[in-house]
Amino acid sequence: MDTTRKIVSLGEFIIDRQSDFKYAKGELSRLLSAIGLAARIVNKEIRRAGLADILGDYGSTNVQGEQVKKLDIYANEHFIKALKDRGEVCAIASEENDNLVEFHGEYCRDGKYVVAMDPLDGSSNIDVNVSVGTIFSIYRRKSDNPANPDNFMQPGYEQVAAGYVIYGSSTMMVYSTGNGVNGFTLDESIGAFFLSHPDMQMPKNGRIYSINEGNYVHFPQGVKDYIKWCQVEDKETNRPFTSRYIGSAVADFHRNLIKGGIFIYPATAPAPRGKLRLLFECNPLAFLAEQAGGRATDGFKRILGIQPTELHQRTPLFIGSEDMVKKAEEFMNKYAEVEA
Ligand code: P6P
């Protein structure tokens, strides 16, 4: 047993880091621990999904027009309940809900925070046993009225904290409160997360490019050129690169965070704003990327600087190792004038 490394649980870490916030009174700590609790509950259900006949389509479709899987609903309900019961959040914007979920009275005592979340991202992978994830983003409430959508119309750099839970070969919670990124692995035998990846740094460069090349014909010319550049043999720059695409943003991001790489979901002819949602996927992942020394743009401008105008708005996403994202932007900028 490695006795040199301290064993730190998520709960202990949250309390220890509370001092990062001068006027902290524990609200954010309680909020983060509520997310950890919901993650353990959802994890248990995901691990038994094949047995509990919980697979398959719920039949309804969400605001994105996607078939909603039962586990999406289950995850959505449990994260909402955990946050509601903790009383620190006054409203939730969920990728699964058309409208805001507001809390009042005892469920929103001070309610300093609002949470935007994708309760189960990548759910189309559930039935084939591929990693899925929960993505969350925490902002300070701007308006006295919890129901005011302006609470969520904040640029990503206003996030107080952001993170994800990846339900993969192991279950991990990775988050940042603005002082670096830390990863915790769930020990299912005792039902607790333990610090396993302290101070995560995204490699400045890498050899993995991650994009759904099935959409190649619809990509902007800059993306097409970048993909071809990745595939050219050049010893000096370690090319050709390796292509990896899981189809679950959390899993593709997590791999690049650890190994280095770039994930691109660009605008396409059928989807001119891209597919991924600014509030529920792009802002939280961009916050983590920057906190870990990486970069996140829409191919031209910083994701965290985008001023949201709609709850479910989408944006193209280029995210990962700083040098790889900058290289992809070079190709995008070559055509910017032409395509503008
Ligand atoms: P495509 C999952 O549905 C998701 O929102 C992201 O997790 C993932 O990166 C993307 O869509 C995959 O989209 O079009 O490649 O299947």
Side-chain angles (χ1 to χ4, degrees), residues 5 23 37 69 76 99 135-136 143-144 147-148 157 163 183 210 235 246 263-265 301 306 318 320 322 336 338:
R5 278 186 65 173
Y23 304 107
L37 171 63
K69 305 277 183 187
N76 197 39
N99 306 306
I135 311 173
F136 61 91
S143 149
D144 287 340
N148 187 337
Y157 62 75
S210 183
K235 293 222 177 334
I246 300 169
F263 171 85
I264 301 176
Y265 207 105
K301 61 183 184 303
I306 297 174
F318 293 61
E322 183 182 17
V338 173

mmCIF file of all heavy atoms in Angstrom, residues 5 23 37 69 76 99 135-136 143-144 147-148 157 163 183 210 235 246 263-265 301 306 318 320 322 336 338:
data_model
loop_
_atom_site.group_PDB
_atom_site.id
_atom_site.type_symbol
_atom_site.label_atom_id
_atom_site.label_comp_id
_atom_site.label_asym_id
_atom_site.label_seq_id
_atom_site.Cartn_x
_atom_site.Cartn_y
_atom_site.Cartn_z
ATOM 1 N N ARG A 5 1.072 8.557 0.010
ATOM 2 C CA ARG A 5 0.000 9.437 -0.456
ATOM 3 C C ARG A 5 -1.145 9.452 0.545
ATOM 4 O O ARG A 5 -1.641 8.422 0.969
ATOM 5 C CB ARG A 5 -0.551 8.943 -1.807
ATOM 6 C CG ARG A 5 0.312 9.405 -2.974
ATOM 7 C CD ARG A 5 -0.304 9.057 -4.296
ATOM 8 N NE ARG A 5 -1.589 9.775 -4.521
ATOM 9 C CZ ARG A 5 -2.227 9.699 -5.702
ATOM 10 N NH1 ARG A 5 -1.732 8.962 -6.670
ATOM 11 N NH2 ARG A 5 -3.350 10.354 -5.889
ATOM 12 N N TYR A 23 -14.980 34.498 2.096
ATOM 13 C CA TYR A 23 -16.214 34.693 2.886
ATOM 14 C C TYR A 23 -17.073 33.430 2.871
ATOM 15 O O TYR A 23 -18.262 33.488 3.058
ATOM 16 C CB TYR A 23 -17.005 35.881 2.307
ATOM 17 C CG TYR A 23 -16.165 37.147 2.247
ATOM 18 C CD1 TYR A 23 -15.688 37.645 1.038
ATOM 19 C CD2 TYR A 23 -15.765 37.786 3.434
ATOM 20 C CE1 TYR A 23 -14.887 38.766 0.983
ATOM 21 C CE2 TYR A 23 -14.963 38.922 3.391
ATOM 22 C CZ TYR A 23 -14.530 39.407 2.155
ATOM 23 O OH TYR A 23 -13.725 40.522 2.114
ATOM 24 N N LEU A 37 -23.297 13.178 -3.851
ATOM 25 C CA LEU A 37 -24.314 12.205 -3.405
ATOM 26 C C LEU A 37 -25.151 11.729 -4.594
ATOM 27 O O LEU A 37 -25.315 10.529 -4.823
ATOM 28 C CB LEU A 37 -25.226 12.850 -2.356
ATOM 29 C CG LEU A 37 -26.469 12.038 -1.954
ATOM 30 C CD1 LEU A 37 -26.064 10.720 -1.291
ATOM 31 C CD2 LEU A 37 -27.365 12.868 -1.040
ATOM 32 N N LYS A 69 -33.841 8.555 -22.920
ATOM 33 C CA LYS A 69 -33.711 7.237 -22.308
ATOM 34 C C LYS A 69 -34.172 7.299 -20.869
ATOM 35 O O LYS A 69 -34.019 8.311 -20.202
ATOM 36 C CB LYS A 69 -32.230 6.815 -22.328
ATOM 37 C CG LYS A 69 -31.583 6.840 -23.703
ATOM 38 C CD LYS A 69 -31.882 5.587 -24.455
ATOM 39 C CE LYS A 69 -31.177 5.605 -25.800
ATOM 40 N NZ LYS A 69 -31.564 4.488 -26.650
ATOM 41 N N ASN A 76 -31.808 12.939 -14.122
ATOM 42 C CA ASN A 76 -32.333 14.303 -13.981
ATOM 43 C C ASN A 76 -33.075 14.459 -12.657
ATOM 44 O O ASN A 76 -32.848 15.404 -11.893
ATOM 45 C CB ASN A 76 -33.291 14.583 -15.161
ATOM 46 C CG ASN A 76 -33.567 16.053 -15.358
ATOM 47 O OD1 ASN A 76 -32.682 16.888 -15.227
ATOM 48 N ND2 ASN A 76 -34.821 16.372 -15.634
ATOM 49 N N ASN A 99 -38.060 24.151 -19.431
ATOM 50 C CA ASN A 99 -38.014 25.385 -18.619
ATOM 51 C C ASN A 99 -37.199 25.206 -17.348
ATOM 52 O O ASN A 99 -36.831 24.095 -16.996
ATOM 53 C CB ASN A 99 -39.461 25.787 -18.238
ATOM 54 C CG ASN A 99 -40.333 25.897 -19.495
ATOM 55 O OD1 ASN A 99 -39.990 26.610 -20.436
ATOM 56 N ND2 ASN A 99 -41.425 25.135 -19.507
ATOM 57 N N ILE A 135 -22.733 16.512 -16.482
ATOM 58 C CA ILE A 135 -21.934 17.743 -16.545
ATOM 59 C C ILE A 135 -22.664 18.833 -15.764
ATOM 60 O O ILE A 135 -23.890 18.978 -15.907
ATOM 61 C CB ILE A 135 -21.733 18.207 -18.009
ATOM 62 C CG1 ILE A 135 -21.252 17.056 -18.888
ATOM 63 C CG2 ILE A 135 -20.721 19.356 -18.061
ATOM 64 C CD1 ILE A 135 -21.184 17.389 -20.374
ATOM 65 N N PHE A 136 -21.941 19.563 -14.916
ATOM 66 C CA PHE A 136 -22.614 20.607 -14.123
ATOM 67 C C PHE A 136 -21.805 21.898 -14.114
ATOM 68 O O PHE A 136 -20.581 21.899 -14.282
ATOM 69 C CB PHE A 136 -22.875 20.122 -12.688
ATOM 70 C CG PHE A 136 -21.620 19.779 -11.915
ATOM 71 C CD1 PHE A 136 -20.968 20.739 -11.146
ATOM 72 C CD2 PHE A 136 -21.096 18.485 -11.949
ATOM 73 C CE1 PHE A 136 -19.830 20.431 -10.428
ATOM 74 C CE2 PHE A 136 -19.946 18.158 -11.234
ATOM 75 C CZ PHE A 136 -19.311 19.130 -10.477
ATOM 76 N N SER A 143 -30.119 37.658 -9.879
ATOM 77 C CA SER A 143 -31.394 38.367 -9.654
ATOM 78 C C SER A 143 -32.046 37.866 -8.373
ATOM 79 O O SER A 143 -31.863 36.717 -7.975
ATOM 80 C CB SER A 143 -32.333 38.075 -10.837
ATOM 81 O OG SER A 143 -33.674 38.091 -10.408
ATOM 82 N N ASP A 144 -32.836 38.721 -7.697
ATOM 83 C CA ASP A 144 -33.543 38.287 -6.483
ATOM 84 C C ASP A 144 -34.600 37.246 -6.816
ATOM 85 O O ASP A 144 -35.009 36.459 -5.977
ATOM 86 C CB ASP A 144 -34.242 39.501 -5.823
ATOM 87 C CG ASP A 144 -33.191 40.393 -5.177
ATOM 88 O OD1 ASP A 144 -32.066 39.856 -4.930
ATOM 89 O OD2 ASP A 144 -33.453 41.588 -4.963
ATOM 90 N N ALA A 147 -36.691 32.725 -10.514
ATOM 91 C CA ALA A 147 -37.239 32.297 -11.814
ATOM 92 C C ALA A 147 -36.721 33.157 -12.956
ATOM 93 O O ALA A 147 -37.033 32.915 -14.121
ATOM 94 C CB ALA A 147 -38.764 32.389 -11.763
ATOM 95 N N ASN A 148 -35.896 34.145 -12.630
ATOM 96 C CA ASN A 148 -35.432 35.047 -13.688
ATOM 97 C C ASN A 148 -34.383 34.345 -14.560
ATOM 98 O O ASN A 148 -33.310 33.992 -14.072
ATOM 99 C CB ASN A 148 -34.813 36.300 -13.050
ATOM 100 C CG ASN A 148 -34.475 37.341 -14.111
ATOM 101 O OD1 ASN A 148 -34.291 36.994 -15.288
ATOM 102 N ND2 ASN A 148 -34.406 38.596 -13.691
ATOM 103 N N TYR A 157 -17.173 32.699 -18.019
ATOM 104 C CA TYR A 157 -16.107 33.069 -17.069
ATOM 105 C C TYR A 157 -16.688 33.443 -15.707
ATOM 106 O O TYR A 157 -15.972 33.586 -14.722
ATOM 107 C CB TYR A 157 -15.228 34.203 -17.626
ATOM 108 C CG TYR A 157 -15.924 35.516 -17.906
ATOM 109 C CD1 TYR A 157 -16.304 36.380 -16.867
ATOM 110 C CD2 TYR A 157 -16.218 35.903 -19.209
ATOM 111 C CE1 TYR A 157 -16.944 37.577 -17.105
ATOM 112 C CE2 TYR A 157 -16.865 37.114 -19.462
ATOM 113 C CZ TYR A 157 -17.225 37.943 -18.411
ATOM 114 O OH TYR A 157 -17.864 39.135 -18.655
ATOM 115 N N GLY A 163 -17.895 21.002 -13.365
ATOM 116 C CA GLY A 163 -17.283 19.671 -13.326
ATOM 117 C C GLY A 163 -18.119 18.638 -14.035
ATOM 118 O O GLY A 163 -19.141 18.972 -14.660
ATOM 119 N N GLY A 183 -9.465 15.328 -9.587
ATOM 120 C CA GLY A 183 -10.294 14.174 -9.937
ATOM 121 C C GLY A 183 -10.400 13.195 -8.783
ATOM 122 O O GLY A 183 -9.412 12.930 -8.098
ATOM 123 N N SER A 210 -10.251 14.191 -32.108
ATOM 124 C CA SER A 210 -11.534 13.544 -31.817
ATOM 125 C C SER A 210 -12.657 14.345 -32.480
ATOM 126 O O SER A 210 -12.940 15.476 -32.069
ATOM 127 C CB SER A 210 -11.723 13.504 -30.291
ATOM 128 O OG SER A 210 -12.893 12.830 -29.952
ATOM 129 N N LYS A 235 7.419 13.508 -39.241
ATOM 130 C CA LYS A 235 8.056 13.004 -38.014
ATOM 131 C C LYS A 235 8.254 14.114 -36.985
ATOM 132 O O LYS A 235 8.059 13.943 -35.782
ATOM 133 C CB LYS A 235 9.413 12.357 -38.344
ATOM 134 C CG LYS A 235 9.308 11.073 -39.179
ATOM 135 C CD LYS A 235 10.235 9.967 -38.729
ATOM 136 C CE LYS A 235 10.066 8.664 -39.520
ATOM 137 N NZ LYS A 235 8.722 8.467 -40.121
ATOM 138 N N ILE A 246 -15.537 8.792 -29.093
ATOM 139 C CA ILE A 246 -16.396 7.915 -28.287
ATOM 140 C C ILE A 246 -17.871 8.273 -28.498
ATOM 141 O O ILE A 246 -18.756 7.453 -28.371
ATOM 142 C CB ILE A 246 -16.005 8.026 -26.796
ATOM 143 C CG1 ILE A 246 -14.535 7.604 -26.604
ATOM 144 C CG2 ILE A 246 -16.911 7.176 -25.906
ATOM 145 C CD1 ILE A 246 -13.968 7.914 -25.223
ATOM 146 N N PHE A 263 -10.777 17.882 -29.120
ATOM 147 C CA PHE A 263 -12.135 17.434 -29.466
ATOM 148 C C PHE A 263 -12.802 18.569 -30.225
ATOM 149 O O PHE A 263 -12.753 19.737 -29.790
ATOM 150 C CB PHE A 263 -12.935 17.115 -28.195
ATOM 151 C CG PHE A 263 -14.390 16.852 -28.445
ATOM 152 C CD1 PHE A 263 -14.826 15.587 -28.804
ATOM 153 C CD2 PHE A 263 -15.325 17.881 -28.355
ATOM 154 C CE1 PHE A 263 -16.167 15.335 -29.048
ATOM 155 C CE2 PHE A 263 -16.674 17.643 -28.608
ATOM 156 C CZ PHE A 263 -17.092 16.365 -28.960
ATOM 157 N N ILE A 264 -13.375 18.242 -31.363
ATOM 158 C CA ILE A 264 -14.024 19.286 -32.175
ATOM 159 C C ILE A 264 -15.453 18.853 -32.505
ATOM 160 O O ILE A 264 -15.664 17.738 -32.992
ATOM 161 C CB ILE A 264 -13.271 19.525 -33.499
ATOM 162 C CG1 ILE A 264 -11.820 19.938 -33.247
ATOM 163 C CG2 ILE A 264 -13.971 20.614 -34.330
ATOM 164 C CD1 ILE A 264 -10.990 20.088 -34.524
ATOM 165 N N TYR A 265 -16.421 19.710 -32.169
ATOM 166 C CA TYR A 265 -17.755 19.532 -32.709
ATOM 167 C C TYR A 265 -18.099 20.840 -33.436
ATOM 168 O O TYR A 265 -18.560 21.788 -32.806
ATOM 169 C CB TYR A 265 -18.814 19.176 -31.677
ATOM 170 C CG TYR A 265 -19.932 18.388 -32.329
ATOM 171 C CD1 TYR A 265 -20.059 17.027 -32.136
ATOM 172 C CD2 TYR A 265 -20.809 19.012 -33.237
ATOM 173 C CE1 TYR A 265 -21.026 16.291 -32.799
ATOM 174 C CE2 TYR A 265 -21.764 18.291 -33.911
ATOM 175 C CZ TYR A 265 -21.876 16.931 -33.700
ATOM 176 O OH TYR A 265 -22.835 16.208 -34.369
ATOM 177 N N LYS A 301 -13.387 32.332 -31.213
ATOM 178 C CA LYS A 301 -13.358 33.119 -29.971
ATOM 179 C C LYS A 301 -13.584 32.211 -28.768
ATOM 180 O O LYS A 301 -14.178 31.131 -28.858
ATOM 181 C CB LYS A 301 -14.411 34.235 -30.024
ATOM 182 C CG LYS A 301 -15.841 33.795 -30.167
ATOM 183 C CD LYS A 301 -16.796 34.999 -30.284
ATOM 184 C CE LYS A 301 -18.246 34.539 -30.329
ATOM 185 N NZ LYS A 301 -18.533 33.585 -31.435
ATOM 186 N N ILE A 306 -18.485 33.982 -24.387
ATOM 187 C CA ILE A 306 -19.735 34.117 -25.153
ATOM 188 C C ILE A 306 -20.861 34.564 -24.220
ATOM 189 O O ILE A 306 -21.065 33.973 -23.150
ATOM 190 C CB ILE A 306 -20.108 32.768 -25.817
ATOM 191 C CG1 ILE A 306 -19.044 32.353 -26.837
ATOM 192 C CG2 ILE A 306 -21.489 32.856 -26.490
ATOM 193 C CD1 ILE A 306 -19.266 30.962 -27.445
ATOM 194 N N PHE A 318 -14.232 23.770 -30.039
ATOM 195 C CA PHE A 318 -12.870 23.263 -30.276
ATOM 196 C C PHE A 318 -12.213 23.280 -28.901
ATOM 197 O O PHE A 318 -12.002 24.366 -28.334
ATOM 198 C CB PHE A 318 -12.093 24.193 -31.218
ATOM 199 C CG PHE A 318 -12.610 24.255 -32.641
ATOM 200 C CD1 PHE A 318 -13.907 24.693 -32.931
ATOM 201 C CD2 PHE A 318 -11.788 23.888 -33.701
ATOM 202 C CE1 PHE A 318 -14.372 24.766 -34.245
ATOM 203 C CE2 PHE A 318 -12.250 23.955 -35.026
ATOM 204 C CZ PHE A 318 -13.534 24.396 -35.283
ATOM 205 N N GLY A 320 -9.378 21.434 -25.908
ATOM 206 C CA GLY A 320 -8.328 20.454 -25.584
ATOM 207 C C GLY A 320 -6.987 21.106 -25.383
ATOM 208 O O GLY A 320 -6.902 22.252 -24.901
ATOM 209 N N GLU A 322 -3.765 23.131 -25.612
ATOM 210 C CA GLU A 322 -3.679 24.504 -26.118
ATOM 211 C C GLU A 322 -3.101 24.585 -27.528
ATOM 212 O O GLU A 322 -3.688 25.206 -28.427
ATOM 213 C CB GLU A 322 -2.809 25.332 -25.169
ATOM 214 C CG GLU A 322 -2.715 26.802 -25.551
ATOM 215 C CD GLU A 322 -1.808 27.588 -24.626
ATOM 216 O OE1 GLU A 322 -1.002 26.971 -23.900
ATOM 217 O OE2 GLU A 322 -1.914 28.830 -24.630
ATOM 218 N N ALA A 336 -11.808 32.513 -42.626
ATOM 219 C CA ALA A 336 -12.781 33.339 -41.876
ATOM 220 C C ALA A 336 -13.347 34.427 -42.766
ATOM 221 O O ALA A 336 -14.545 34.589 -42.895
ATOM 222 C CB ALA A 336 -12.115 33.937 -40.647
ATOM 223 N N VAL A 338 -13.426 34.602 -45.995
ATOM 224 C CA VAL A 338 -14.215 34.031 -47.117
ATOM 225 C C VAL A 338 -15.592 33.616 -46.616
ATOM 226 O O VAL A 338 -16.621 33.938 -47.189
ATOM 227 C CB VAL A 338 -13.470 32.790 -47.700
ATOM 228 C CG1 VAL A 338 -14.368 32.103 -48.724
ATOM 229 C CG2 VAL A 338 -12.131 33.195 -48.258
#
